[in-house]
Amino acid sequence: MRLSNFRYTLPKTRIADHPESPRDACKLMVLSRRKKEIEHKVFTDIVSYFKKGDLLVVNNSRVFPAKIFGQKEKTDAKIEVFLLRELNKEAGLWDVLVDPARKVRVGNKIYFEDDVVAEVVDNTTSRGRTIRFLNPDIDVFQMVEKIGHVPLPPYFTRKPKEADRTDYQTVYANQTGAVVAPMAGLHFTMPLLQQLQKIGVKILPVTLHPSLSTFNAIEVEDVSKHKMDSEYFNIPYQTAMEVNETKMNKSGRVFVVGTTTCRALEANATVEGKIKFGQGWTDKFIYPPYTFKVTDALITNFQQPETTLMMVVSAFADHRLLMESYKTALKNNYRFLAYGDAMLIV
């Protein structure tokens, strides 16, 4: 497949900058892969597509307020530090992005609220740095909950609001470490999840912390030559066992919430369709053509053009059907991206 196969025009007016309230009141487009049909629903209608014995696998990754602002020593220049991932807890080392990068060099110290100090110890990319927090025994995740800002996607033109701390988080998020929300899960409410449980659907977690590479432009026309960044995942034993039993006994279908969950499962699937439990890092890249081993139905959002997220969905939905659905969504005023509307592919 070529990168240009995933190109479409997304007007800025179709990018949702606030979620629907309640979350599950958003639109739901349903694609039937077998019938090649498109239906228009509301997200709460999704319950009618489930049966007793089905599984709903979700990404319980929790976004932390990863943007913090400090002052550079001596000059007092304001520096934005975007915490990407913890490299070494004991040493206080973090992989970060800084802005303005030209002012931040190795050896510089940056001062934050509550007498927190970090030192730049390495340059990694043009904006990338490795920093070390100098405060002994500091809990960085606890610190940023107080002084950090929600890392909204770069396509948002507004600044984060207090409401984003809740809105840009799934209701089942409990594994802190992500800087990007698993956005397909943002539509679920606790009452909706309880409805699914009442009809006999099991809700199972995996963890995959999406990275900022989610938003990176692909720079090669031949998509098979694109290299994904590695992302942390964890598949609990209970989740693997339930999925494997369901697939073996053909007692239900595996509904997967989002491309991150899909990648975590497919990256750990055997040829027979069983998944392995455990944690690690994956750079699994799914694009057409691809034979899915675990995923029976996929819940997703409307993705940015020419992104790896769109390619995962295309591989599952059938490329022609997906592109037709995006045209239909634009004609019917669907809202796109993180706070936008949802799609169910069955």
Side-chain angles (χ1 to χ4, degrees):
M1 295 291 282
R2 314 297 293 178
L3 183 62
S4 53
N5 293 137
F6 302 92
R7 187 173 298 150
Y8 73 94
T9 301
L10 176 59
K12 290 182 179 180
T13 54
R14 295 300 174 85
I15 299 175
D17 60 359
H18 292 87
E20 289 283 6
S21 182
R23 297 166 179 244
D24 54 13
C26 70
K27 293 180 180 180
L28 175 69
M29 179 180 286
V30 181
L31 305 189
S32 170
R33 295 185 293 167
R34 184 174 62 84
K35 297 179 180 179
K36 307 296 183 190
E37 291 179 352
I38 297 173
E39 293 183 287
H40 302 284
K41 302 285 184 176
V42 177
F43 195 76
T44 49
D45 295 331
I46 201 168
V47 176
S48 66
Y49 291 89
F50 286 82
K51 298 177 182 178
K52 182 179 180 180
D54 287 340
L55 306 181
L56 180 71
V57 187
V58 302
N59 184 357
N60 62 7
S61 185
R62 181 179 180 276
V63 178
F64 67 103
K67 284 191 177 182
I68 55 178
F69 293 87
Q71 291 180 311
K72 185 181 169 185
E73 63 177 338
K74 299 179 181 178
T75 66
D76 289 339
K78 187 177 181 181
I79 305 295
E80 175 190 292
V81 177
F82 193 149
L83 302 168
L84 297 180
R85 64 181 179 181
E86 189 174 48
L87 300 175
N88 187 304
K89 183 177 179 64
E90 289 70 28
L93 290 173
W94 277 77
D95 186 17
V96 305
L97 296 177
V98 294
D99 189 31
R102 67 184 184 280
K103 294 185 178 181
V104 183
R105 300 176 180 175
V106 173
N108 288 161
K109 289 186 175 65
I110 304 173
Y111 294 83
F112 303 97
E113 294 179 37
D114 298 335
D115 298 321
V116 175
V117 185
E119 180 183 16
V120 180
V121 298
D122 194 15
N123 287 346
T124 53
T125 63
S126 59
R127 290 182 57 210
R129 304 288 186 271
T130 300
I131 66 171
R132 179 174 67 241
F133 285 95
L134 302 180
N135 306 64
D137 303 320
I138 186 173
D139 186 326
V140 176
F141 286 109
Q142 189 176 57
M143 179 263 292
V144 298
E145 290 297 335
K146 181 179 178 182
I147 71 170
H149 300 262
V150 178
L152 289 179
Y155 47 74
F156 278 90
T157 56
R158 65 172 178 84
K159 293 182 178 180
K161 300 178 181 179
E162 186 61 29
D164 291 311
R165 284 181 175 259
T166 301
D167 292 340
Y168 196 58
Q169 204 82 265
T170 63
V171 295
Y172 43 74
N174 58 24
Q175 298 298 310
T176 301
V179 295
V180 177
M183 59 187 184
L186 295 177
H187 308 292
F188 285 95
T189 61
M190 290 310 297
L192 185 57
L193 292 171
Q194 289 165 358
Q195 272 187 272
L196 289 170
Q197 288 175 319
K198 284 181 180 178
I199 65 174
V201 175
K202 291 182 179 179
I203 300 169
L204 304 171
V206 301
T207 303
L208 186 138
H209 293 324
S211 70
L212 275 187
S213 63
T214 294
F215 307 114
N216 289 352
I218 296 178
E219 298 178 348
V220 289
E221 179 63 17
D222 181 354
V223 300
S224 67
K225 292 180 168 54
H226 176 71
K227 179 69 174 175
M228 296 281 287
D229 286 349
S230 290
E231 296 170 324
Y232 170 81
F233 73 85
N234 183 28
I235 299 179
Y237 172 78
Q238 184 69 27
T239 296
M241 184 184 71
E242 295 279 5
V243 169
N244 292 341
E245 285 188 359
T246 299
K247 299 295 284 189
M248 181 176 65
N249 298 329
K250 298 182 180 179
S251 54
R253 297 159 298 167
V254 180
F255 283 71
V256 175
V257 182
T259 59
T260 55
T261 311
C262 181
R263 286 181 54 238
L265 293 174
E266 297 292 329
N268 289 278
T270 65
V271 176
E272 296 79 21
K274 292 185 177 181
I275 59 170
K276 298 169 285 186
F277 70 92
Q279 59 184 330
W281 296 81
T282 181
D283 60 359
K284 179 78 170 178
F285 180 25
I286 298 174
Y287 57 91
Y290 178 83
T291 301
F292 287 81
K293 303 174 183 67
V294 181
T295 309
D296 295 315
L298 180 65
I299 299 164
T300 183
N301 279 32
F302 292 90
Q303 312 291 355
Q304 285 180 285
E306 299 183 338
T307 56
T308 59
L309 305 182
M310 188 178 180
M311 291 172 191
V312 176
V313 182
S314 171
F316 188 76
D318 175 82
H319 184 68
R320 288 185 180 179
L321 179 61
L322 183 71
M323 298 309 291
E324 180 62 31
S325 73
Y326 273 49
K327 289 179 183 178
T328 302
L330 289 168
K331 289 179 182 178
N332 287 272
N333 296 316
Y334 276 73
R335 301 159 74 246
F336 280 61
L337 309 186
Y339 279 159
D341 296 315
M343 175 186 287
L344 169 64
I345 308 166
V346 292

